[in-house]
Coordinates of all heavy atoms in Angstrom, one line a residue:
M1 N -163.1 55.2 80.8 CA -164.3 54.9 79.9 C -165.4 55.5 80.4 O -165.7 55.7 81.7 CB -164.4 53.3 80.1 CG -165.5 52.7 79.3 SD -165.6 50.8 79.3 CE -164.1 50.5 78.6
S2 N -166.2 56.1 79.6 CA -167.5 56.8 79.9 C -168.5 55.9 80.5 O -168.6 54.7 80.2 CB -168.1 57.4 78.6 OG -167.2 58.4 78.2
V3 N -169.3 56.4 81.4 CA -170.3 55.7 82.1 C -171.6 56.4 82.0 O -171.7 57.7 82.0 CB -170.0 55.3 83.6 CG1 -168.8 54.4 83.7 CG2 -169.8 56.5 84.4
V4 N -172.7 55.7 82.1 CA -174.0 56.2 82.3 C -174.5 55.8 83.7 O -174.4 54.7 84.0 CB -175.0 55.6 81.1 CG1 -176.4 56.0 81.3 CG2 -174.5 56.0 79.6
V5 N -175.2 56.7 84.3 CA -175.7 56.4 85.6 C -177.2 56.8 85.6 O -177.5 58.0 85.1 CB -175.0 57.4 86.8 CG1 -175.6 57.0 88.1 CG2 -173.5 57.0 86.8
I6 N -178.0 55.9 86.1 CA -179.4 56.1 86.0 C -179.9 56.0 87.6 O -179.6 55.0 88.2 CB -180.2 55.2 85.2 CG1 -179.7 55.2 83.7 CG2 -181.8 55.3 85.3 CD1 -180.3 54.1 82.8
L7 N -180.4 57.1 88.1 CA -180.9 57.2 89.4 C -182.3 57.3 89.5 O -182.9 58.2 88.9 CB -180.1 58.4 90.1 CG -180.5 58.7 91.5 CD1 -180.0 57.7 92.5 CD2 -179.9 60.1 92.0
T8 N -183.0 56.5 90.2 CA -184.3 56.5 90.4 C -184.7 56.8 91.9 O -184.2 56.1 92.7 CB -185.1 55.2 90.1 OG1 -184.6 54.8 88.7 CG2 -186.6 55.2 90.1
L9 N -185.5 57.9 92.1 CA -185.9 58.3 93.4 C -187.4 58.3 93.5 O -188.1 58.9 92.7 CB -185.5 59.9 93.5 CG -184.0 60.1 93.3 CD1 -183.7 61.5 93.2 CD2 -183.2 59.4 94.4
K10 N -187.8 57.6 94.6 CA -189.4 57.3 94.7 C -189.7 58.2 96.0 O -189.3 57.9 97.0 CB -189.6 55.9 94.9 CG -189.3 55.0 93.6 CD -189.6 53.6 93.7 CE -189.2 52.8 92.6 NZ -189.4 51.3 92.7
A11 N -190.5 59.3 95.7 CA -190.8 60.2 96.7 C -191.8 59.6 97.8 O -192.7 58.8 97.4 CB -191.4 61.5 96.2
A12 N -191.7 60.0 99.0 CA -192.7 59.7 100.0 C -194.0 60.3 99.7 O -194.0 61.2 98.8 CB -192.2 60.1 101.4
E13 N -195.0 59.9 100.3 CA -196.4 60.2 100.1 C -196.5 61.8 99.8 O -197.1 62.1 98.8 CB -197.3 59.9 101.2 CG -198.7 60.1 101.0 CD -199.4 59.2 100.0 OE1 -198.9 58.1 99.9 OE2 -200.3 59.6 99.3
D14 N -196.0 62.6 100.5 CA -196.3 64.1 100.4 C -195.1 64.9 99.9 O -195.0 66.1 100.2 CB -196.9 64.7 101.6 CG -195.9 64.5 102.9 OD1 -194.8 63.7 102.7 OD2 -196.1 65.2 103.8
Q15 N -194.1 64.2 99.4 CA -192.7 64.8 99.2 C -192.4 64.8 97.7 O -191.3 65.4 97.4 CB -191.6 64.0 99.8 CG -191.6 64.0 101.3 CD -191.4 65.3 101.8 OE1 -190.4 66.0 101.6 NE2 -192.3 65.8 102.7
Y16 N -193.2 64.5 96.7 CA -192.9 64.7 95.4 C -192.5 66.0 94.9 O -191.5 66.3 94.1 CB -193.9 64.0 94.4 CG -193.7 64.2 93.0 CD1 -192.7 63.4 92.4 CD2 -194.1 65.1 92.1 CE1 -192.4 63.5 91.1 CE2 -193.9 65.3 90.9 CZ -192.9 64.5 90.4 OH -192.5 64.7 89.0
D17 N -193.5 67.0 95.1 CA -193.2 68.3 94.8 C -192.0 68.9 95.2 O -191.1 69.6 94.6 CB -194.4 69.3 95.2 CG -195.8 68.9 94.3 OD1 -195.6 68.3 93.2 OD2 -196.8 69.2 94.8
Q18 N -191.6 68.6 96.5 CA -190.3 69.1 97.2 C -189.1 68.4 96.5 O -188.2 68.9 96.3 CB -190.4 68.8 98.6 CG -189.2 69.3 99.4 CD -189.0 70.8 99.2 OE1 -189.9 71.6 99.3 NE2 -187.7 71.2 99.1
L19 N -189.3 67.0 96.3 CA -188.2 66.3 95.6 C -187.9 66.9 94.2 O -186.8 67.2 93.9 CB -188.6 64.8 95.5 CG -187.6 64.0 94.8 CD1 -186.1 64.0 95.5 CD2 -188.1 62.6 94.7
A20 N -189.1 67.1 93.4 CA -188.8 67.6 92.1 C -188.2 68.9 92.1 O -187.3 69.3 91.4 CB -190.2 67.6 91.3
A21 N -188.6 69.8 93.0 CA -188.0 71.2 93.1 C -186.6 71.2 93.5 O -185.8 71.9 93.1 CB -188.9 72.0 94.1
T22 N -186.3 70.2 94.5 CA -184.8 70.1 94.9 C -184.0 69.6 93.8 O -183.0 70.2 93.6 CB -184.9 69.1 96.1 OG1 -185.6 69.7 97.1 CG2 -183.4 69.0 96.5
M23 N -184.6 68.8 93.0 CA -183.6 68.2 91.9 C -183.4 69.4 90.8 O -182.3 69.5 90.3 CB -184.3 67.1 91.2 CG -184.4 65.8 92.2 SD -182.8 65.4 92.9 CE -181.9 64.7 91.6
Q24 N -184.4 70.1 90.6 CA -184.4 71.1 89.6 C -183.4 72.2 90.2 O -182.7 72.8 89.4 CB -185.7 71.8 89.4 CG -186.7 71.0 88.6 CD -188.0 71.6 88.4 OE1 -188.6 72.2 89.3 NE2 -188.6 71.4 87.2
A25 N -183.3 72.2 91.5 CA -182.4 73.4 92.0 C -181.0 72.9 91.9 O -180.0 73.6 91.7 CB -182.8 73.7 93.4
I26 N -180.7 71.6 92.2 CA -179.3 71.1 92.4 C -178.7 70.6 91.1 O -177.5 70.6 91.0 CB -179.2 70.1 93.6 CG1 -179.8 68.8 93.3 CG2 -179.7 70.7 94.9 CD1 -179.7 67.7 94.3
L27 N -179.5 70.1 90.2 CA -178.8 69.5 89.0 C -178.1 70.5 88.2 O -177.1 70.0 87.5 CB -180.0 68.8 88.2 CG -180.4 67.4 88.9 CD1 -181.6 66.8 88.0 CD2 -179.2 66.4 89.2
P28 N -178.4 71.8 88.0 CA -177.5 72.6 87.2 C -176.0 72.6 87.8 O -175.0 72.6 87.1 CB -178.1 74.0 87.4 CG -179.6 73.7 87.5 CD -179.6 72.5 88.4
D29 N -175.9 72.5 89.1 CA -174.6 72.3 89.7 C -174.0 71.0 89.4 O -172.7 70.9 89.2 CB -174.7 72.5 91.3 CG -174.9 73.8 91.8 OD1 -174.6 74.8 91.1 OD2 -175.4 74.0 92.9
T30 N -174.8 70.0 89.2 CA -174.2 68.7 88.9 C -173.6 68.7 87.5 O -172.5 68.3 87.2 CB -175.3 67.6 89.0 OG1 -175.9 67.6 90.2 CG2 -174.8 66.2 88.5
A31 N -174.3 69.4 86.6 CA -173.9 69.5 85.1 C -172.6 70.2 85.1 O -171.8 70.1 84.0 CB -175.0 70.2 84.3
K32 N -172.2 71.1 86.1 CA -171.0 71.8 86.0 C -169.8 71.1 86.6 O -168.7 71.6 86.5 CB -171.2 73.1 86.8 CG -172.3 74.0 86.1 CD -172.4 75.3 87.0 CE -173.5 76.2 86.5 NZ -173.8 77.3 87.4
R33 N -170.0 70.1 87.2 CA -169.0 69.3 87.9 C -168.0 68.7 86.9 O -168.4 68.3 85.8 CB -169.5 68.0 88.8 CG -170.4 68.6 89.9 CD -169.6 69.4 90.9 NE -168.7 68.5 91.6 CZ -167.9 68.8 92.5 NH1 -168.1 70.0 93.1 NH2 -167.1 68.1 93.1
E34 N -166.8 68.5 87.3 CA -165.7 68.0 86.4 C -166.1 66.5 86.0 O -166.4 65.7 86.8 CB -164.4 68.0 87.1 CG -163.3 67.5 86.2 CD -161.9 67.5 87.0 OE1 -161.8 68.3 87.9 OE2 -161.1 66.7 86.5
G35 N -166.1 66.2 84.8 CA -166.4 64.9 84.2 C -167.9 64.7 83.8 O -168.1 63.8 83.0
A36 N -168.7 65.7 84.2 CA -170.2 65.4 83.8 C -170.3 65.9 82.3 O -169.9 67.0 81.9 CB -171.1 66.4 84.6
E37 N -170.9 65.0 81.5 CA -171.1 65.2 80.1 C -172.5 65.5 79.7 O -172.7 66.2 78.8 CB -170.5 63.9 79.3 CG -169.1 63.6 79.6 CD -168.6 62.3 78.9 OE1 -169.5 61.5 78.5 OE2 -167.3 62.3 78.7
L38 N -173.5 64.9 80.5 CA -174.8 65.1 80.2 C -175.6 64.7 81.4 O -175.4 63.7 82.1 CB -175.3 64.3 79.1 CG -176.8 64.3 78.8 CD1 -177.1 65.8 78.1 CD2 -177.3 63.2 77.7
I39 N -176.4 65.6 81.9 CA -177.4 65.5 83.2 C -178.7 65.8 82.7 O -179.0 67.0 82.3 CB -176.9 66.4 84.3 CG1 -175.3 66.1 84.6 CG2 -177.7 66.1 85.6 CD1 -174.9 64.7 84.9
R40 N -179.7 64.9 82.8 CA -181.1 65.1 82.6 C -181.9 64.5 83.7 O -181.5 63.5 84.3 CB -181.5 64.5 81.2 CG -180.8 65.2 79.9 CD -181.3 66.6 79.7 NE -180.7 67.1 78.6 CZ -179.8 67.9 78.6 NH1 -179.1 68.3 79.6 NH2 -179.2 68.4 77.4
A41 N -183.2 65.0 83.9 CA -184.1 64.4 84.8 C -185.4 64.6 84.3 O -185.7 65.5 83.6 CB -183.9 65.2 86.2
A42 N -186.2 63.6 84.7 CA -187.6 63.5 84.3 C -188.5 63.0 85.5 O -187.9 62.2 86.3 CB -187.9 62.6 83.1
G43 N -189.8 63.5 85.6 CA -190.5 63.2 86.8 C -191.8 62.5 86.3 O -192.4 62.9 85.3
D44 N -192.4 61.8 87.1 CA -193.7 61.1 87.0 C -194.5 61.4 88.3 O -194.3 60.7 89.3 CB -193.6 59.7 86.7 CG -194.9 58.9 86.6 OD1 -196.0 59.5 87.0 OD2 -194.9 57.7 86.1
A45 N -195.2 62.5 88.3 CA -196.1 62.9 89.5 C -196.9 61.8 89.9 O -197.1 61.7 91.2 CB -196.7 64.3 89.1
E46 N -197.6 61.2 89.1 CA -198.6 60.1 89.5 C -197.8 58.9 90.3 O -198.4 58.5 91.2 CB -199.3 59.5 88.3 CG -200.4 58.6 88.6 CD -201.2 58.1 87.4 OE1 -201.5 59.0 86.4 OE2 -201.4 56.9 87.2
A47 N -196.7 58.6 89.8 CA -195.9 57.5 90.5 C -194.9 58.1 91.6 O -194.4 57.3 92.2 CB -195.1 56.7 89.4
R48 N -195.0 59.4 91.7 CA -194.1 60.1 92.6 C -192.5 59.7 92.4 O -192.0 59.4 93.4 CB -194.6 59.9 94.0 CG -195.9 60.4 94.3 CD -196.4 60.3 95.7 NE -195.9 59.3 96.6 CZ -196.5 58.2 96.8 NH1 -197.7 57.9 96.3 NH2 -195.9 57.4 97.7
T49 N -192.2 59.6 91.3 CA -190.9 59.2 90.8 C -190.1 60.2 90.1 O -190.6 60.8 89.2 CB -190.8 57.8 90.2 OG1 -191.6 56.9 90.9 CG2 -189.5 57.2 89.9
V50 N -188.8 60.4 90.4 CA -187.9 61.1 89.7 C -186.8 60.3 89.1 O -186.2 59.6 89.9 CB -187.2 62.4 90.4 CG1 -186.3 63.2 89.6 CG2 -188.4 63.4 90.9
T51 N -186.5 60.4 87.8 CA -185.4 59.6 87.2 C -184.3 60.5 86.7 O -184.6 61.5 85.9 CB -185.9 58.7 86.1 OG1 -186.9 57.9 86.7 CG2 -184.8 57.9 85.4
V52 N -183.2 60.4 87.1 CA -182.0 61.2 86.7 C -181.0 60.3 85.8 O -180.7 59.2 86.1 CB -181.3 61.7 87.9 CG1 -180.1 62.6 87.3 CG2 -182.1 62.4 88.9
Y53 N -180.8 60.9 84.5 CA -179.9 60.2 83.6 C -178.6 61.0 83.5 O -178.6 62.3 83.3 CB -180.6 60.2 82.2 CG -179.7 59.6 81.2 CD1 -179.7 58.3 80.9 CD2 -178.8 60.4 80.4 CE1 -178.9 57.7 79.9 CE2 -178.1 59.9 79.5 CZ -178.1 58.6 79.2 OH -177.3 58.0 78.1
E54 N -177.5 60.4 83.8 CA -176.2 61.1 83.8 C -175.3 60.3 83.0 O -175.2 59.1 82.9 CB -175.6 61.1 85.2 CG -176.5 61.6 86.3 CD -176.1 61.5 87.7 OE1 -174.9 60.7 87.9 OE2 -176.6 62.0 88.7
E55 N -174.4 61.2 82.1 CA -173.2 60.6 81.6 C -172.1 61.4 82.1 O -172.0 62.5 82.1 CB -173.4 60.8 80.0 CG -174.5 60.0 79.4 CD -174.5 60.3 77.8 OE1 -173.7 60.8 77.4 OE2 -175.6 59.9 77.3
W56 N -171.0 60.5 82.4 CA -169.8 60.9 83.0 C -168.6 60.4 82.2 O -168.7 59.3 81.6 CB -169.6 60.4 84.4 CG -170.7 61.0 85.3 CD1 -172.0 60.5 85.6 CD2 -170.6 62.2 86.1 NE1 -172.6 61.3 86.4 CE2 -171.8 62.3 86.8 CE3 -169.5 63.1 86.3 CZ2 -172.0 63.4 87.7 CZ3 -169.8 64.1 87.2 CH2 -170.9 64.3 87.8
D57 N -167.4 61.2 82.2 CA -166.4 60.7 81.5 C -165.6 59.5 82.1 O -165.2 58.7 81.3 CB -165.2 61.8 81.4 CG -164.8 62.3 82.8 OD1 -165.3 61.9 83.9 OD2 -163.8 63.0 82.8
R58 N -165.9 59.3 83.3 CA -165.4 58.0 83.9 C -166.1 57.9 85.3 O -166.6 58.9 86.0 CB -163.9 57.9 84.1 CG -163.4 59.3 84.7 CD -161.8 59.3 84.6 NE -161.4 60.5 85.3 CZ -160.8 60.6 86.4 NH1 -160.5 59.5 87.1 NH2 -160.5 61.8 87.0
I59 N -166.2 56.7 85.7 CA -166.9 56.4 87.1 C -166.2 57.2 88.2 O -166.9 57.6 89.2 CB -166.8 54.9 87.4 CG1 -167.8 54.6 88.6 CG2 -165.6 54.4 87.7 CD1 -169.2 55.0 88.4
E60 N -164.9 57.5 88.3 CA -164.2 58.2 89.4 C -164.8 59.6 89.5 O -164.9 60.2 90.5 CB -162.7 58.2 89.1 CG -162.0 56.8 89.3 CD -162.1 56.0 88.0 OE1 -162.6 56.5 87.0 OE2 -161.8 54.8 88.2
S61 N -165.2 60.3 88.2 CA -165.7 61.5 88.3 C -167.1 61.6 89.1 O -167.5 62.5 89.9 CB -165.9 62.1 86.8 OG -164.7 62.2 86.4
Q62 N -167.9 60.6 88.7 CA -169.2 60.4 89.3 C -169.0 60.1 90.8 O -169.8 60.7 91.6 CB -170.1 59.4 88.6 CG -171.5 59.4 89.0 CD -171.8 58.6 90.2 OE1 -171.3 57.7 90.6 NE2 -173.1 58.8 90.7
Q63 N -168.1 59.3 91.1 CA -167.9 59.1 92.6 C -167.4 60.2 93.3 O -167.9 60.4 94.6 CB -167.0 57.8 92.8 CG -167.5 56.5 92.3 CD -166.5 55.4 92.1 OE1 -165.3 55.8 92.0 NE2 -167.0 54.2 92.2
A64 N -166.6 61.1 92.7 CA -166.1 62.3 93.4 C -167.3 63.2 93.6 O -167.5 64.0 94.7 CB -165.0 62.9 92.7
Y65 N -168.3 63.2 92.5 CA -169.4 64.1 92.7 C -170.2 63.6 93.9 O -170.8 64.5 94.7 CB -170.2 64.1 91.4 CG -171.7 64.5 91.5 CD1 -171.9 65.9 91.7 CD2 -172.6 63.5 91.4 CE1 -173.3 66.2 91.8 CE2 -173.9 63.9 91.7 CZ -174.2 65.2 91.8 OH -175.5 65.6 91.9
M66 N -170.5 62.4 94.0 CA -171.3 61.8 95.0 C -170.6 62.1 96.4 O -171.4 62.3 97.3 CB -171.6 60.3 94.8 CG -172.4 60.0 93.7 SD -174.2 60.7 93.8 CE -174.7 59.7 95.1
A67 N -169.4 62.0 96.5 CA -168.7 62.3 97.7 C -169.0 63.7 98.2 O -169.3 64.1 99.3 CB -167.2 62.0 97.6
W68 N -168.8 64.6 97.2 CA -169.2 66.0 97.4 C -170.5 66.3 97.9 O -170.8 67.0 98.9 CB -168.8 66.8 96.1 CG -169.2 68.3 96.2 CD1 -168.5 69.3 96.8 CD2 -170.2 68.9 95.4 NE1 -169.1 70.6 96.6 CE2 -170.2 70.3 95.7 CE3 -171.2 68.4 94.6 CZ2 -171.0 71.3 95.3 CZ3 -172.1 69.3 94.1 CH2 -172.0 70.8 94.3
R69 N -171.6 65.7 97.2 CA -172.9 65.8 97.7 C -173.1 65.2 99.0 O -173.9 65.8 99.8 CB -173.9 65.1 96.8 CG -174.1 65.8 95.4 CD -175.0 66.9 95.5 NE -175.3 67.6 94.2 CZ -175.7 69.0 94.1 NH1 -175.7 69.6 95.2 NH2 -175.8 69.5 92.9
T70 N -172.5 64.1 99.3 CA -172.6 63.5 100.7 C -172.0 64.5 101.7 O -172.7 64.7 102.7 CB -171.9 62.2 100.7 OG1 -172.6 61.3 99.9 CG2 -172.0 61.6 102.1
E71 N -170.9 64.9 101.5 CA -170.2 66.0 102.4 C -171.1 67.1 102.7 O -171.0 67.6 103.9 CB -168.9 66.4 101.9 CG -167.7 65.3 101.9 CD -166.5 65.7 101.2 OE1 -166.3 66.9 100.8 OE2 -165.8 64.9 100.8
R72 N -171.7 67.7 101.7 CA -172.5 68.8 101.8 C -173.9 68.5 102.6 O -174.6 69.4 103.0 CB -172.9 69.4 100.5 CG -171.7 70.0 99.8 CD -172.1 70.4 98.4 NE -173.6 70.9 98.2 CZ -173.8 72.2 98.0 NH1 -172.9 73.1 98.1 NH2 -175.2 72.5 97.9
G73 N -174.2 67.2 102.7 CA -175.4 66.9 103.4 C -176.7 66.8 102.4 O -177.8 66.5 102.8
D74 N -176.3 67.0 101.1 CA -177.4 66.8 100.0 C -178.1 65.5 100.0 O -179.2 65.4 99.8 CB -176.9 67.3 98.7 CG -176.6 68.8 98.6 OD1 -176.9 69.5 99.5 OD2 -175.6 69.1 97.8
I75 N -177.3 64.4 100.2 CA -177.7 63.0 99.9 C -178.7 62.8 101.1 O -179.8 62.2 100.9 CB -176.6 62.1 99.9 CG1 -175.7 62.3 98.6 CG2 -177.1 60.6 99.9 CD1 -176.4 62.4 97.3
A76 N -178.4 63.1 102.3 CA -179.3 62.8 103.5 C -180.4 63.6 103.3 O -181.6 63.1 103.6 CB -178.5 63.3 104.7
T77 N -180.5 64.9 102.8 CA -181.8 65.7 102.6 C -182.7 65.0 101.6 O -183.8 64.8 101.8 CB -181.3 67.0 102.1 OG1 -180.6 67.7 103.1 CG2 -182.6 67.8 101.8
L78 N -182.1 64.4 100.5 CA -182.8 63.8 99.5 C -183.4 62.4 100.0 O -184.6 62.2 99.8 CB -182.0 63.5 98.2 CG -181.6 64.6 97.3 CD1 -180.5 64.3 96.2 CD2 -182.9 65.2 96.6
V79 N -182.6 61.6 100.6 CA -183.0 60.4 101.1 C -184.2 60.6 102.2 O -185.1 59.8 102.1 CB -181.9 59.6 101.8 CG1 -182.4 58.4 102.7 CG2 -180.8 59.2 100.7
A80 N -184.1 61.8 102.9 CA -185.4 61.9 103.9 C -186.6 62.2 103.1 O -187.7 62.0 103.7 CB -184.9 63.1 104.8
M81 N -186.6 62.5 101.8 CA -187.9 62.6 101.1 C -188.4 61.4 100.5 O -189.4 61.4 99.8 CB -187.6 63.8 99.9 CG -187.4 65.1 100.4 SD -187.1 66.2 99.0 CE -185.6 67.0 99.4
L82 N -187.7 60.3 100.5 CA -188.0 59.1 99.8 C -188.8 58.1 100.6 O -188.6 58.0 101.8 CB -186.7 58.6 99.3 CG -185.9 59.4 98.4 CD1 -184.5 58.6 98.0 CD2 -186.5 59.9 97.3
R83 N -189.5 57.3 99.8 CA -190.3 56.1 100.5 C -189.4 54.8 100.5 O -189.9 53.9 101.1 CB -191.5 56.0 99.8 CG -191.6 55.4 98.4 CD -192.9 55.3 97.8 NE -193.0 54.9 96.5 CZ -193.1 55.5 95.4 NH1 -193.3 56.8 95.5 NH2 -193.2 55.1 94.2
E84 N -188.4 54.8 99.7 CA -187.4 53.7 99.7 C -186.1 54.1 99.4 O -185.9 55.2 98.8 CB -188.0 52.5 98.9 CG -188.2 52.9 97.4 CD -188.9 51.7 96.7 OE1 -190.1 51.4 97.0 OE2 -188.2 51.2 95.8
P85 N -185.0 53.4 99.5 CA -183.8 53.7 99.1 C -183.6 54.0 97.6 O -184.3 53.5 96.8 CB -182.9 52.6 99.4 CG -183.6 51.8 100.6 CD -185.0 52.0 100.2
P86 N -182.7 55.0 97.3 CA -182.6 55.3 95.9 C -182.0 54.0 95.1 O -181.4 53.2 95.6 CB -181.5 56.4 95.8 CG -181.3 56.8 97.2 CD -181.9 55.8 98.1
E87 N -182.4 53.9 93.8 CA -181.9 52.9 93.0 C -181.0 53.5 92.0 O -181.2 54.5 91.4 CB -183.1 52.3 92.1 CG -184.1 51.5 92.9 CD -185.3 51.2 92.0 OE1 -185.2 51.1 90.7 OE2 -186.5 50.9 92.6
L88 N -179.7 52.9 92.0 CA -178.6 53.3 91.2 C -178.1 52.4 90.3 O -177.9 51.2 90.7 CB -177.6 53.8 92.1 CG -176.4 54.6 91.4 CD1 -176.7 56.0 90.9 CD2 -175.2 54.6 92.4
K89 N -178.1 52.6 89.0 CA -177.5 51.7 88.0 C -176.4 52.5 87.3 O -176.5 53.6 86.9 CB -178.6 51.3 86.9 CG -179.7 50.6 87.4 CD -180.5 50.1 86.1 CE -181.7 49.2 86.7 NZ -182.6 48.8 85.5
V90 N -175.2 51.6 87.3 CA -174.1 52.2 86.6 C -173.9 51.4 85.4 O -173.7 50.2 85.5 CB -172.8 52.3 87.5 CG1 -171.7 52.8 86.7 CG2 -173.0 53.2 88.6
L91 N -173.8 52.0 84.0 CA -173.6 51.2 82.9 C -172.4 51.8 82.1 O -172.1 52.9 82.3 CB -174.9 51.3 82.0 CG -176.2 51.0 82.6 CD1 -177.4 51.6 81.9 CD2 -176.3 49.5 82.9
T92 N -171.9 50.9 81.3 CA -170.8 51.4 80.5 C -171.3 52.0 79.2 O -172.2 51.4 78.6 CB -169.9 50.2 80.1 OG1 -169.3 49.6 81.3 CG2 -168.6 50.6 79.2
K93 N -171.0 53.2 78.8 CA -171.6 53.8 77.7 C -171.0 53.1 76.4 O -169.9 53.0 76.2 CB -171.1 55.4 77.7 CG -171.7 56.2 76.7 CD -171.4 57.6 76.8 CE -171.9 58.4 75.6 NZ -171.4 59.7 75.7
L94 N -171.8 52.7 75.5 CA -171.5 52.0 74.3 C -171.5 52.9 73.1 O -170.6 52.9 72.2 CB -172.4 50.8 74.1 CG -172.4 49.8 75.1 CD1 -173.5 48.8 74.7 CD2 -171.1 49.2 75.2
F95 N -172.5 53.9 73.1 CA -172.6 54.8 71.9 C -173.2 56.2 72.4 O -174.1 56.1 73.2 CB -173.4 54.2 70.8 CG -173.6 55.2 69.7 CD1 -172.6 55.2 68.7 CD2 -174.7 55.8 69.6 CE1 -172.8 56.2 67.7 CE2 -174.9 56.6 68.5 CZ -174.0 56.9 67.5

């Protein structure tokens, strides 16, 4: 069953530009991962927030992707730029 994942990243005081640049650099690889159907991101510089919208063929594909990012150290790098833990919502795609 297809899923939608919404990830909200809140940058630390001086980290928004770096966070936005990092996401722009890594999300093309995300879009190429097996099971990725749609990957989009938007930023709000004033609120220092980046929101990522992902559609995956199934939750297992997204979980495999996250394991890959964790193994590479990408998740730790991103978390170091944040003022609070990432917010992750997983929803069942209806349409």
Side-chain angles (χ1 to χ4, degrees):
M1 180 175 297
S2 293
V3 295
V4 171
V5 176
I6 300 172
L7 176 65
T8 303
L9 305 170
K10 297 178 181 178
E13 186 68 31
D14 60 347
Q15 294 294 308
Y16 175 77
D17 291 338
Q18 182 62 41
L19 177 62
T22 299
M23 297 308 290
Q24 288 176 324
I26 69 172
L27 288 178
D29 288 337
T30 303
K32 295 176 187 173
R33 296 295 296 186
E34 182 177 335
E37 297 176 344
L38 178 70
I39 307 295
R40 296 287 185 263
D44 180 344
E46 187 174 317
R48 298 187 332 265
T49 302
V50 173
T51 301
V52 182
Y53 176 89
E54 306 172 352
E55 292 183 11
W56 294 87
D57 63 347
R58 55 196 177 98
I59 191 61
E60 292 83 5
S61 296
Q62 194 274 342
Q63 291 168 338
Y65 160 73
M66 289 298 289
W68 174 73
R69 284 285 183 207
T70 300
E71 289 171 14
R72 290 172 37 98
D74 296 334
I75 301 302
T77 299
L78 288 172
V79 168
M81 293 183 230
L82 304 180
R83 64 180 183 262
E84 60 186 65
E87 295 174 20
L88 182 73
K89 289 184 183 179
V90 178
L91 309 165
T92 301
K93 186 176 175 183
L94 299 177
F95 176 79

